[in-house]
Amino acid sequence: HYPPVSMLFLVIMLTLGYTGLAFAAGSAVKPALMTVALLGSWGVSVSVLVMSTSVLGVPMGWKVGARLFSLAAIPLLLKMAAAAAVSVWTTLSPFYFQAGPSLFVLQPSFWLQRVDFFEIWSVLLLGVLVRVQAGSNGRKTAGVTACVWSVGLLLAWAVQNVGGAN
């Protein structure tokens, strides 16, 4: 069973994703692909969190990891809500929404596009939540957040380049 926080997170995440797609005119992203990408990314990220904490000596079970990751990813829900609102307002794809310095660059690279204030907020929040776990310290927290964020970047790259999120 999933923790209630995680279930609520997943339902809100999917609802916001579908809302953004529903109002985007002619989006190339199919709802089934978006569902797989969102749920798959969440599952992989939680798995990396649980495995990396365990490897670094911070015991964490699946339910705790799912709850912790879902809480840390609340800023991403805020980003998705803003993206859905932009889709409703403009009919543009929610995948075009950005909240970072790439807004001020004519043709930003993929990696500059990944510098997003909501994503950084989530990473910092994850660090705070991992840091308060029994057996954690600054070095372990940095290692865990680096692992989870690195995998998140790779997943974002894969969704954009393989899944056709452009």
Side-chain angles (χ1 to χ4, degrees):
H1 294 203
Y2 292 95
V5 168
S6 296
M7 289 300 294
L8 181 61
F9 175 85
L10 294 172
V11 168
I12 292 170
M13 179 179 64
L14 289 173
T15 301
L16 291 171
Y18 293 141
T19 300
L21 282 183
F23 286 95
S27 177
V29 178
K30 305 290 184 240
L33 177 63
M34 186 200 64
T35 303
V36 169
L38 290 176
L39 294 178
S41 294
W42 180 85
V44 168
S45 297
V46 170
S47 298
V48 170
L49 173 62
V50 171
M51 288 186 288
S52 63
T53 53
S54 295
V55 166
L56 292 173
V58 181
M60 182 179 295
W62 168 258
K63 287 184 179 183
V64 172
R67 185 179 64 77
L68 260 145
F69 185 81
S70 296
L71 288 171
I74 287 174
L76 297 180
L77 290 181
L78 296 174
K79 178 182 178 176
M80 289 182 73
V86 167
S87 292
V88 168
W89 185 261
T90 65
T91 70
L92 291 173
S93 170
F95 294 102
Y96 291 136
F97 180 78
Q98 185 59 253
S102 66
L103 290 171
F104 306 105
V105 177
L106 188 56
Q107 292 185 351
S109 70
F110 170 79
W111 298 110
L112 182 60
Q113 291 175 7
R114 294 287 36 100
V115 178
D116 183 278
F117 299 122
F118 289 104
E119 293 173 12
I120 291 169
W121 183 10
S122 285
V123 170
L124 293 174
L125 189 54
L126 179 63
V128 168
L129 293 171
V130 169
R131 181 70 171 102
V132 299
Q133 298 300 304
S136 186
N137 60 36
R139 180 174 282 148
K140 291 177 183 180
T141 298
V144 169
T145 54
C147 286
V148 175
W149 192 31
S150 298
V151 169
L153 287 173
L154 290 173
L155 290 169
W157 176 85
V159 168
Q160 184 171 7
N161 290 302
V162 177
N166 288 333

